[in-house]
Amino acid sequence: MELQKPYCEVCWLFADRASPNYENHRGWINGVSGSLHNMLEKIKRHEACNMHIQATAVYMRWKSGKTVDKDNEKEIRNNALFWVKVLDRIITIILTLATLTLAFRGHNEHVHDNICEGGNFLGMVYLMAQYDEILAKVISLPARATKYLSPKIQNELIELLAKTVTVSLVHKINASPFWALILDSTSDITRIDQLSVIIRRVQIDGDNCSIEENFLGFVK
């Protein structure tokens, strides 16, 4: 678009139309009318006004590709990456406790003032936070902020990991040339009968052959 009269391209593109100074400088957006006498002085005064300076800053950001949307996208990506790292550490702790067959929770659990108290899970989180800035930042968050440390989140992650392990075992069982099903019934402390499901299978890796047993879970 050409206005056929002097105007400021930067302000025409990026000037804040809601600015209190807009009316005083709108000529540089819509085109300067009238006498062109002392135009150099007028240009200097316009370049020194706040509206032009702000528009120039936006223009430079746009020209360099650093737009507001791009900054927001970068912040969103960084935030998502941070929580991916948090979940990676939490899953590692869960797998460690499960491998060692240790209880996760205690009687009184608290996460406050950069301290995790109660149970093995929060204890390991607190231990790792002493040497890891990611978890240190998590436990320093305000009381009601998202931390992914609650018992509900722990249970959900345990269930997801259990399903992943089960799917992996089923694939191995299906790939095995020979396997047998072992069932055993037992009662828990509440006298509820539970049926344990175990698969005994032949594992072949190249020239090596071995017998492995995989526990798939309890059936009530």
Side-chain angles (χ1 to χ4, degrees), residues 85-103:
K85 292 179 179 179
V86 171
L87 288 175
D88 179 56
R89 286 155 174 77
I90 291 175
I91 289 173
T92 299
I93 293 173
I94 289 175
L95 291 175
T96 301
L97 292 175
T99 302
L100 298 175
T101 63
L102 295 175

Side-chain angles (χ1 to χ4, degrees), residues 36-85:
L36 300 181
H37 183 64
N38 293 330
M39 180 57 65
L40 183 59
E41 291 297 325
K42 293 179 180 178
I43 292 174
K44 289 181 178 180
R45 286 198 300 271
H46 173 68
E47 288 179 341
C49 75
N50 289 332
M51 188 180 74
H52 177 80
I53 293 173
Q54 292 173 0
T56 301
V58 175
Y59 173 77
M60 295 304 295
R61 286 168 60 87
W62 169 77
K63 191 174 182 180
S64 62
K66 298 179 179 179
T67 60
V68 174
D69 288 342
K70 185 163 290 187
D71 289 343
N72 288 339
E73 289 176 4
K74 182 178 179 181
E75 183 178 354
I76 291 172
R77 285 196 301 269
N78 290 339
N79 193 43
L81 180 60
F82 171 78
W83 288 111
V84 167
K85 292 179 179 179

Side-chain angles (χ1 to χ4, degrees), residues 176-217:
S176 177
F178 307 102
W179 57 271
L181 178 64
I182 303 174
L183 302 175
D184 187 20
S185 179
T186 184
S187 299
D188 61 16
I189 194 172
T190 60
R191 297 184 179 181
I192 296 178
D193 196 46
Q194 297 185 103
L195 186 68
S196 62
V197 181
I198 301 172
I199 299 295
R200 185 178 177 89
R201 61 187 177 85
V202 176
Q203 176 69 34
I204 299 177
D205 294 316
D207 296 332
N208 299 322
C209 181
S210 61
I211 304 298
E212 296 189 4
E213 290 186 357
N214 301 122
F215 173 68
L216 295 183

Side-chain angles (χ1 to χ4, degrees), residues 84-198:
V84 167
K85 292 179 179 179
V86 171
L87 288 175
D88 179 56
R89 286 155 174 77
I90 291 175
I91 289 173
T92 299
I93 293 173
I94 289 175
L95 291 175
T96 301
L97 292 175
T99 302
L100 298 175
T101 63
L102 295 175
F104 277 63
R105 295 190 285 275
H107 295 293
N108 296 309
E109 297 182 333
H110 302 284
V111 181
H112 60 87
D113 299 330
N114 295 326
I115 296 177
C116 293
E117 297 177 329
N120 293 321
F121 176 79
L122 291 182
M124 290 194 68
V125 170
Y126 181 65
L127 175 63
M128 290 183 63
Q130 307 307 304
Y131 307 95
D132 179 69
E133 62 180 9
I134 300 295
L135 288 180
K137 183 177 180 180
V138 171
I139 66 174
S140 68
L141 293 173
R144 296 187 177 275
T146 300
K147 301 184 183 71
Y148 293 105
L149 301 178
S150 68
K152 181 179 179 181
I153 295 296
Q154 294 175 41
N155 289 337
E156 289 180 356
L157 289 175
I158 290 171
E159 290 179 5
L160 289 173
L161 292 171
K163 289 179 181 178
T164 301
V165 172
T166 301
V167 170
S168 176
L169 290 176
V170 169
H171 285 316
K172 291 181 179 180
I173 293 168
N174 290 334
S176 177
F178 307 102
W179 57 271
L181 178 64
I182 303 174
L183 302 175
D184 187 20
S185 179
T186 184
S187 299
D188 61 16
I189 194 172
T190 60
R191 297 184 179 181
I192 296 178
D193 196 46
Q194 297 185 103
L195 186 68
S196 62
V197 181
I198 301 172

